[in-house]
Structure formats: C-alpha cells, structure tokens
C-alpha cells in the first residue's frame, strides 16, 4: 500500500542541522555572558534530550556549570537568542537538504501524497530552513507543521505525531514517518506510524529497533514511494 501522507522530522532528517544548532548555542552563551562551551561529544549526549530549552535545563542539572542558576532564570531569553542566531546562519546558507530529500518531496507532490512535519524544533527554525532550501514558505510545501511547544510533551512522547495526524485527519495506516533519531522513532512508533530512519551524523551511533527500514539517506538506495510501499509490505508489523 502506497503511503497517502509522509510526515518528516526536521533536524537531522531534512538537513544536517544539529551542528548549526550547536554553533548557535555556543554563540548565544558568548553573547549572554555564560562561560560555557558545548563541544561535539557533549552535544551528542545532550541531544538525548529533545527541545532547546529542555536541553539547557538538562545541561545545568547534569553538569552543574558556572552560572547555572542564572541560566535557569533566563532559559526563554537564551533560547530566543539562539533561535535568532540559528535562523540567520540558515538564511546565510549554512545547511543543505540531505541527499534524496528534494527528490522524494517532489515525487510526493507530483503524485498527490500529502506532506507534513512533526518536530521538536521551533517554528521559526523550520520556516528558516525551508525558505532557504526551497525559496518558498514552509506552508506552501507542508500542509501541516507540528513544531516547538505546540504540544507539552516532546519526543519520544507521541504527542507531536498525534497532533499532526489529527490535523491531517488521516489514520496512521495511511501515513509514514521519516526520522533520524531513536527519540524520533520511538515517538512515531508510539503514535502507530511505520517509520523510515535515515541516521544523521549525530545519531548514527544509535540503534533503531522497530523501524520499517534504516538507510544512510534517501538516495542510498534511492527511496521512492514504491520503495516505501515494498518496505511496508515486507514489514509484518504493518
């Protein structure tokens, strides 16, 4: 059965954006006077926590950095500054879509497959990336965008996928999710969605039990609507 809707994650799935997020966090710390620096190994660990504000709080709780108490009082300000820096980096061309993403989205649009987004990143981040990648507003490509704090519980909770499914008014069996992380996979699976995983540079150490398929990217091998239908047919869980 061919999917009637594809629900994409954003960071690490549409584009390798996590490194840009890390750079934006570090620039924010400098701008706001925090003597913090998140290197790549540390950021890989922090990505186990979804959501930027939640990640700051987890860092304070787990690492007891200098000025931690002050940071907790300024989480919203820090996150807003980080979003501003990130969106400017994206507008300046810091990220490209991952291999095969543009082709699969084009095929889906040509064949009337509905497109949606389910992400924990904030809406301005989504809009900046898609404007830079497509030269068009996000809403002109994706019918439903579930982003940021639109639901209280973030991935791996299924809430964001359930929100998107409700907005699409579609049953789970008619949709698939595409994710890059274990948190994302667990979120989509908990919502009842067959899920294709394309691990990113920050998640390629993870395992993905229950995924419909795991491939390096959407061009390895070339993933089409027919490919997805064959994977679904071969997966006894669907």
């Amino acid at each position: 059965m061919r999917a009637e809707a594809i629900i994409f994650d954003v960071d690490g799935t549409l584009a390798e954006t996590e490194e840009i997020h890390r750079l934006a966090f570090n620039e924010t710390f400098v701008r706001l006077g925090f003597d913090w620096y998140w290197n790549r190994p540390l950021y890989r660990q922090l990505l186990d926590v979804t959501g930027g504000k939640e990640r700051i709080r987890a860092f304070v709780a787990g690492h007891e950095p200098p000025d931690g108490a002050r940071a907790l009082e300024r989480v919203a300000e820090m996150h807003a500054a980080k979003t501003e820096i990130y969106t400017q980096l994206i507008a300046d061309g810091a990220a490209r879509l991952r291999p095969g993403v543009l082709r699969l989205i084009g095929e889906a649009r040509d064949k009337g497959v509905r497109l949606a987004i389910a992400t924990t990143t904030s809406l301005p981040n989504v809009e900046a990336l898609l404007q830079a990648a497509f030269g068009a507003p996000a809403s002109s490509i994706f019918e439903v965008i579930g982003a940021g704090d639109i639901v209280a519980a973030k991935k791996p909770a299924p809430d964001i996928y359930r929100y998107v499914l409700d907005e699409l008014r579609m049953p789970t069996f008619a949709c698939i999710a595409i994710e890059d992380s274990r948190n994302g996979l667990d979120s989509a699976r908990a919502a009842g969605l067959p899920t294709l995983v394309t691990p990113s540079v920050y998640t390629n150490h993870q395992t993905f039990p229950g995924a419909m398929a795991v491939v390096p990217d959407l061009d390895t091998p070339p993933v089409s609507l027919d490919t997805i239908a064959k994977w679904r047919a071969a997966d006894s869980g669907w």
Side-chain angles (χ1 to χ4, degrees), residues 89-90 206:
L89 288 170
I90 292 295
Q206 298 177 355

Side-chain angles (χ1 to χ4, degrees), residues 114-139:
R114 300 167 72 185
L115 297 171
I117 280 174
T119 181
T120 60
T121 201
S122 63
L123 183 58
N125 292 343
V126 177
E127 292 174 333
L129 176 64
L130 295 178
Q131 182 65 46
F134 292 96
S139 59

Side-chain angles (χ1 to χ4, degrees), residues 3-8 104 108 113-116 175-178 225 228:
E4 297 177 29
I6 301 175
I7 308 172
F8 285 88
L104 181 59
V113 174
R114 300 167 72 185
L115 297 171
C175 310
I176 70 149
I178 302 182
L225 296 177
I228 292 169

Side-chain angles (χ1 to χ4, degrees), residues 48-122:
D48 288 341
V49 178
T50 55
K53 294 186 289 294
E54 292 81 0
R55 203 164 294 144
I56 293 169
R57 295 187 184 102
F59 175 65
V60 172
H63 297 267
E64 299 183 352
D67 285 337
R70 181 166 69 94
L72 292 178
E73 295 174 353
R74 302 178 66 185
V75 167
E77 179 187 359
M78 294 173 75
H79 190 256
K82 179 259 173 181
T83 297
E84 178 186 345
I85 294 167
Y86 173 85
T87 55
Q88 187 58 57
L89 288 170
I90 292 295
D92 291 342
R96 298 179 182 177
L97 295 176
R98 290 187 65 188
V101 168
L102 184 62
R103 175 185 47 74
L104 181 59
I105 287 175
E107 180 188 2
R109 296 180 76 187
D110 288 344
K111 295 184 177 178
V113 174
R114 300 167 72 185
L115 297 171
I117 280 174
T119 181
T120 60
T121 201
S122 63

Side-chain angles (χ1 to χ4, degrees), residues 156-180:
D159 302 41
I160 191 65
Y161 276 104
R162 288 174 177 164
Y163 167 83
V164 171
L165 288 166
D166 286 346
E167 292 295 304
L168 287 171
R169 297 185 180 181
M170 294 188 71
T172 55
F173 66 78
C175 310
I176 70 149
I178 302 182
E179 280 280 356
D180 77 302

